Amino acid sequence: MPNQQIPTEKELAQHFQVSRITTKRALEELERSGYIYRKRGSGSFVKERDVTSGQESLARVDRISTKKIISMIFPYTMDNGYAGFLKGVSDQLEAKGFYLSVHSSDWNPYKERELLLRLPEEGFDGVILYPYSSIDNMDIVYSLMLRGYPLVLIDQYYPNMNVWSVVSDNQRGGYIGTEHFIKLGHQRIAYVSSIDLHMRTSVRDRFFGYGQALRDYGLVLDPHLCVFNFYESVNEENKVAYYQHLIHNLLSRGATAIMAEHDELALDLMRACAKGGILVPEHLSIIGFDDIELAEHHDTPLTTIAQHYYEIGRLAAEGMTLQVNSPEHLHRTEEKQQTVPVTLKRRESTASRKEMIYNGGTPIIS
């Protein structure tokens, strides 16, 4: 009915189980197309239509109905710099005349599975997927690939499956981070990951780069300096004590540097060091991976490997539009994985081995 108030962005998002970003864009498009109007502080309302402009209205509806809609499935809230993924996708799709619908899997492989099954059935023209892992829901992804459904993965890829993907050069990132340590004189370099290597190709490839750098510079990869798969053991209550114990063990084995799986883990390790009397980088050098916003603004700015999120999102959207507009791209046999370069951002959390302070011996966490 004309002048009837419609639900809010939040109510629409809850009802249709989509993100607030999606409902906000939908309302903006309805307002642009002349179907609703907005009152500041009051909400959105159905606009009274001019019956004499029927042909113009039908033409507008036809233009809208022919626009393609792409879904993006993301595992977490896009903050800390990760929003670059979304902006890259959104800008590219908008430039090509596509709509974008954003959905969150909330780091839940079962919710991701439900979305992968439901969205194609609801008529979405393609899915850009940031997978929960490189092992979950492989059967659904494989099924979509076999039937020629447009699909692009970001951040990870499924080994031995020719699905279009756009990822950072994680192996190169692991290599240049480790090389940075070696050139600073470090020889006992640890690798710490909260998950196991088989869970995500991104983390696995970073570890392979770490190992290759050690080998190229004549150093041995010591398994005693590699820590994996503890994310289920850590929570907000125990993580400081857990990380202090982890750091103590690595220091006792002679480690002078740590290559962390990602920035958030690196920052947690640095906080544990600060609370235990370990100085970074005077006692221990640390490198992260991602270059989230907090990395640069931490008390001790974090040296990290920067991913270029916007470019990954842009290339993913470009691959999607190629698949939708030119179906022959779905069946090409050449390698579909695109790799985006990474960059070392040197800050204050790493120092030369010669500059490190030992105060009479290896620092011990109290």
Side-chain angles (χ1 to χ4, degrees):
M1 294 286 293
N3 302 311
Q4 180 179 350
Q5 186 171 10
I6 64 174
T8 64
E9 290 176 12
K10 181 178 180 180
E11 291 168 341
L12 288 169
Q14 291 174 341
H15 179 76
F16 291 103
Q17 294 187 323
V18 297
S19 70
R20 290 281 296 275
I21 296 172
T22 298
T23 55
K24 182 177 185 294
R25 285 176 174 271
L27 291 175
E28 288 173 349
E29 186 60 39
L30 288 171
E31 183 179 26
R32 254 195 319 268
S33 300
Y35 292 103
I36 66 172
Y37 62 94
R38 298 191 182 193
K39 291 182 179 180
R40 184 179 295 274
S42 299
S44 301
F45 301 83
V46 177
K47 189 173 184 179
E48 188 169 0
R49 305 293 292 169
D50 183 357
V51 295
T52 63
S53 60
Q55 289 184 341
E56 180 186 344
S57 299
L58 287 172
R60 185 181 291 113
V61 170
D62 183 62
R63 286 197 302 273
I64 294 172
S65 65
T66 58
K67 263 194 169 184
K68 303 292 186 181
I69 305 177
I70 304 303
S71 289
M72 185 174 180
I73 302 175
F74 216 76
Y76 49 73
T77 302
M78 285 181 255
D79 54 11
N80 263 339
Y82 303 124
F85 282 131
L86 176 61
K87 182 163 175 55
V89 169
S90 178
D91 286 354
Q92 181 70 12
L93 289 181
E94 186 172 345
K96 298 291 185 179
F98 286 68
Y99 287 124
L100 175 63
S101 172
V102 183
H103 308 259
S104 174
S105 65
D106 298 322
W107 285 120
N108 185 329
Y110 301 105
K111 185 173 181 180
E112 177 186 272
R113 186 178 188 85
E114 185 271 330
L115 288 167
L116 285 170
L117 289 170
R118 174 167 60 85
L119 296 176
E121 293 178 355
E122 292 183 351
F124 288 94
D125 296 285
V127 168
I128 296 173
L129 171 66
Y130 184 126
Y132 167 79
S133 79
S134 306
I135 55 177
D136 289 278
N137 299 319
M138 190 181 294
D139 57 326
I140 306 299
V141 171
Y142 185 58
S143 172
L144 292 172
M145 182 196 77
L146 288 179
R147 75 190 223 200
Y149 183 78
L151 180 68
V152 179
L153 308 180
I154 61 173
D155 184 74
Q156 301 165 61
Y157 58 91
Y158 288 96
N160 304 315
M161 196 185 301
N162 196 27
V163 177
W164 202 301
S165 62
V166 185
V167 301
S168 288
D169 193 345
N170 290 294
Q171 186 159 343
R172 178 64 182 163
Y175 189 100
I176 63 176
T178 308
E179 182 181 52
H180 176 63
F181 280 141
I182 295 170
K183 289 183 175 180
L184 289 173
H186 297 274
Q187 295 189 343
R188 299 289 288 169
I189 303 166
Y191 187 92
V192 179
S193 170
S194 62
I195 63 172
D196 213 347
L197 290 180
H198 74 281
M199 190 170 180
R200 297 196 182 102
T201 54
S202 53
V203 175
R204 184 199 67 187
D205 289 349
R206 292 168 197 175
F207 177 73
F208 287 170
Y210 155 85
Q212 187 63 49
L214 292 175
R215 179 179 178 180
D216 286 352
Y217 283 87
L219 301 177
V220 175
L221 194 164
D222 184 352
H224 295 103
L225 294 182
C226 300
V227 183
F228 301 103
N229 200 29
F230 53 80
Y231 73 99
E232 292 182 339
S233 302
V234 180
N235 54 51
E236 286 301 314
E237 287 72 31
N238 73 3
K239 71 177 182 180
V240 171
Y242 188 95
Y243 289 136
Q244 286 182 340
H245 179 71
L246 183 156
I247 293 165
H248 171 74
N249 283 340
L250 291 175
L251 289 173
S252 68
R253 296 180 182 275
T256 61
I258 294 177
M259 182 81 188
E261 165 201 350
H262 52 62
D263 285 351
E264 291 178 4
L265 174 58
L267 293 171
D268 277 340
L269 293 172
M270 290 170 68
R271 294 182 190 106
C273 283
K275 291 185 177 180
I278 301 298
L279 302 178
V280 177
E282 291 89 344
H283 296 148
L284 183 67
S285 286
I286 297 177
I287 287 180
F289 205 112
D290 287 335
D291 195 26
I292 62 176
E293 185 177 352
L294 187 57
E296 184 176 6
H297 301 292
H298 191 263
D299 292 342
T300 301
L302 176 67
T303 297
T304 187
I305 308 300
Q307 297 196 71
H308 301 290
Y309 298 112
Y310 184 90
E311 181 65 5
I312 292 173
R314 188 191 69 80
L315 288 172
E318 185 177 82
M320 176 57 65
T321 59
L322 279 174
Q323 292 180 63
V324 174
N325 291 333
S326 305
E328 64 270 15
H329 287 279
L330 288 165
H331 306 292
R332 69 181 193 177
T333 57
E334 64 265 29
E335 179 59 51
K336 295 178 180 178
Q337 182 176 325
Q338 294 179 275
T339 303
V340 177
V342 294
T343 307
L344 174 69
K345 295 288 186 72
R346 182 174 182 177
R347 300 192 179 110
E348 296 173 24
S349 67
T350 55
S352 166
R353 178 73 171 76
K354 293 180 180 180
E355 297 172 345
M356 297 181 71
I357 302 170
Y358 285 92
N359 297 324
T362 300
I364 300 298
I365 295 177
S366 58

